[in-house]
Amino acid sequence: MFRKILFLIPFLIFASECNAQKFRTALDYMNFISRQQVLIVKSSWRYTQAIAHSKDDRTIDKKRAILIRSIDRAIMKITKAQGFEGDTEYKEKVLRNLEINKSLLLEDYAEIIDMQAVAEQSYDAMEAYILAQELADQKMAEAQQEYEENFYAYAKKHDIEVFEGQSELGEKMEISNKVFDYHNDLYLIFFKVHFNEGNLLDAIKEKDISAIRQNINALKMAVQEGLKEVDKKPLYKKDDRIAEATKEVFQIHLDEANNKIPQILDYLVLQEDFEKIQAAIEKTPESDRTKEQIDSYNEKVDVLNEKRELINKLIDKLFKERNKKLERLDKANAKFLDKHVPKYSI
């Protein structure tokens, strides 16, 4: 599951700080509101860090819960605070914005977690899952943009000069979003091919010869298209580890379709023919069975046993090579995120 959470805010540098909840100036009030927002941004960063650097779902869920609690605390503090000179318009807009963020985390992101459970059942489901993440992130960004617009409007109303500066944390969050975008794009290309391979393996499991033939061709086409898409995708920071590992998996799948699976298909056709001969003999009384029938049957048994041994070795080799490349891709994904999603202690 490759999620990101989007909080793009310019960190705002003020001339003074105020810890009280009664405000002498509009600037004090703006500083108070801004501090609550920055705390939420920091919690969102911890959530992003957990996604990038942890494989423990419990850790990720814990960070999400902390983020929701951060929003709850901000809502509580802002609600209790008096607006400057009785003006509650800005306060109400900020609270509405925070409620939107909380709703996204409780509903949209919760739905995304539910979608994760079925995402691998089809390419369309995986595409919908990743799109849902992107839409939720977009809503979060739009909510943040609304917050900033309200902020600047309030500053202008009270003749407050705002000095903008991009903090180290803000820069790192923007970098993280770009890293996840690239990562998710490559994963979707991979999944489309890998899902086709899964359909082929299912057909083999069911011994469905017609479906095997169809899925061999579908896999070849998916690999060829996937290789082109990977090559067209600009590398992130010239880091080709995911792209190269993905192409290696595709080459294994192509070898399956061109060389390995046709041998398995031949064996299944042979087995199907044998079963027909066997059924015909079993229907024939022993006294009526001809020497040619028996010889043909015994010959097929010998050939089938020999082929079975070869196919078992082929399958064993195929899955060892396949799983080795998939493991390499998993490691490439993990190393890519670990390298490019910045680490920042807050």
Side-chain angles (χ1 to χ4, degrees), residues 241-258:
R241 73 184 76 199
I242 297 181
E244 290 304 312
T246 299
K247 289 194 286 187
E248 285 185 16
V249 172
F250 287 176
Q251 291 296 343
I252 285 289
H253 290 340
L254 193 60
D255 183 52
E256 287 177 60
N258 285 329

Side-chain angles (χ1 to χ4, degrees), residues 50-196:
I51 292 166
H53 303 298
S54 174
K55 293 185 178 180
D56 187 347
D57 286 342
R58 288 176 299 180
T59 299
I60 295 171
D61 288 340
K62 183 179 178 181
K63 299 296 183 185
R64 177 171 167 268
I66 290 172
L67 178 52
I68 293 170
R69 288 199 297 272
S70 295
I71 294 175
D72 281 335
R73 283 194 294 269
I75 289 172
M76 180 183 67
K77 288 183 179 180
I78 294 171
T79 300
K80 288 182 178 179
Q82 298 175 8
F84 176 65
E85 293 183 340
D87 184 355
T88 61
E89 181 183 5
Y90 178 53
K91 170 181 174 177
E92 289 167 0
K93 287 179 178 178
V94 171
L95 288 171
R96 185 170 63 249
N97 183 268
L98 290 173
E99 290 289 355
I100 290 172
N101 286 339
K102 181 179 176 181
S103 175
L104 282 167
L105 287 166
L106 288 173
E107 296 175 15
D108 289 54
Y109 286 100
E111 182 180 351
I112 286 167
I113 291 171
D114 291 338
M115 292 175 72
Q116 181 189 3
V118 298
E120 295 193 0
Q121 292 183 7
S122 72
Y123 174 77
D124 288 343
M126 179 58 72
E127 189 175 39
Y129 167 61
I130 291 177
L131 178 60
Q133 293 180 54
E134 292 174 351
L135 289 175
D137 292 338
Q138 182 180 342
K139 289 180 185 178
M140 193 74 81
E142 289 170 355
Q144 184 57 43
Q145 179 64 34
E146 183 181 340
Y147 166 80
E148 291 179 27
E149 289 171 359
N150 293 332
F151 178 92
Y152 284 110
Y154 189 78
K156 183 177 180 181
K157 178 179 178 180
H158 292 277
D159 295 321
I160 297 172
E161 186 176 3
V162 178
F163 299 92
E164 290 189 30
Q166 184 74 346
S167 73
E168 182 183 357
L169 177 56
E171 290 175 354
K172 289 179 184 296
M173 294 188 76
E174 289 188 12
I175 291 170
S176 296
N177 291 328
K178 292 176 183 177
V179 171
F180 277 110
D181 282 340
Y182 175 82
H183 180 275
N184 287 351
D185 287 348
L186 264 291
Y187 181 77
L188 197 56
I189 295 171
F190 156 78
F191 184 79
K192 186 173 186 178
V193 175
H194 193 61
F195 183 76
N196 273 276

Side-chain angles (χ1 to χ4, degrees), residues 140-343:
M140 193 74 81
E142 289 170 355
Q144 184 57 43
Q145 179 64 34
E146 183 181 340
Y147 166 80
E148 291 179 27
E149 289 171 359
N150 293 332
F151 178 92
Y152 284 110
Y154 189 78
K156 183 177 180 181
K157 178 179 178 180
H158 292 277
D159 295 321
I160 297 172
E161 186 176 3
V162 178
F163 299 92
E164 290 189 30
Q166 184 74 346
S167 73
E168 182 183 357
L169 177 56
E171 290 175 354
K172 289 179 184 296
M173 294 188 76
E174 289 188 12
I175 291 170
S176 296
N177 291 328
K178 292 176 183 177
V179 171
F180 277 110
D181 282 340
Y182 175 82
H183 180 275
N184 287 351
D185 287 348
L186 264 291
Y187 181 77
L188 197 56
I189 295 171
F190 156 78
F191 184 79
K192 186 173 186 178
V193 175
H194 193 61
F195 183 76
N196 273 276
E197 191 235 15
N199 289 337
L200 177 55
L201 296 180
D202 286 342
I204 293 170
K205 184 178 179 181
E206 296 298 322
K207 299 181 180 181
D208 188 332
I209 290 172
S210 176
I212 292 170
R213 290 188 174 121
Q214 290 176 5
N215 282 294
I216 284 175
N217 292 328
L219 180 57
K220 288 179 184 178
M221 291 176 63
V223 167
Q224 290 164 1
E225 182 180 339
L227 287 169
K228 290 178 183 177
E229 288 184 17
V230 171
D231 284 336
K232 284 192 299 184
K233 183 73 180 173
L235 297 175
Y236 181 83
K237 299 282 188 181
K238 298 183 179 179
D239 189 335
D240 65 352
R241 73 184 76 199
I242 297 181
E244 290 304 312
T246 299
K247 289 194 286 187
E248 285 185 16
V249 172
F250 287 176
Q251 291 296 343
I252 285 289
H253 290 340
L254 193 60
D255 183 52
E256 287 177 60
N258 285 329
N259 303 308
K260 305 294 195 305
I261 304 302
Q263 294 182 61
I264 296 173
L265 179 61
D266 289 343
Y267 169 75
L268 291 176
V269 170
L270 183 66
Q271 187 179 52
E272 187 178 71
D273 290 342
F274 170 76
E275 288 170 356
K276 290 177 183 177
I277 294 171
Q278 186 178 40
I281 285 183
E282 288 173 352
K283 287 180 182 178
T284 305
E286 284 190 26
S287 58
D288 293 336
R289 293 173 188 172
T290 66
K291 184 177 181 302
E292 286 142 359
Q293 278 181 307
I294 295 170
D295 288 345
S296 176
Y297 173 81
N298 290 334
E299 183 182 342
K300 291 287 184 182
V301 169
D302 291 338
V303 172
L304 197 63
N305 287 336
E306 182 182 346
K307 284 280 187 181
R308 183 184 294 112
E309 185 176 348
L310 292 173
I311 291 299
N312 286 337
K313 289 180 180 178
L314 175 72
I315 292 172
D316 183 62
K317 183 180 178 182
L318 167 63
F319 276 90
K320 282 180 179 177
E321 291 175 350
R322 172 186 179 274
N323 292 341
K324 184 178 179 180
K325 295 300 183 183
L326 288 172
E327 278 180 26
R328 183 175 184 276
L329 177 58
D330 284 343
K331 289 178 181 177
N333 279 311
K335 288 179 180 178
F336 176 84
L337 290 176
D338 196 54
K339 177 180 179 180
H340 294 294
V341 174
K343 297 179 179 67

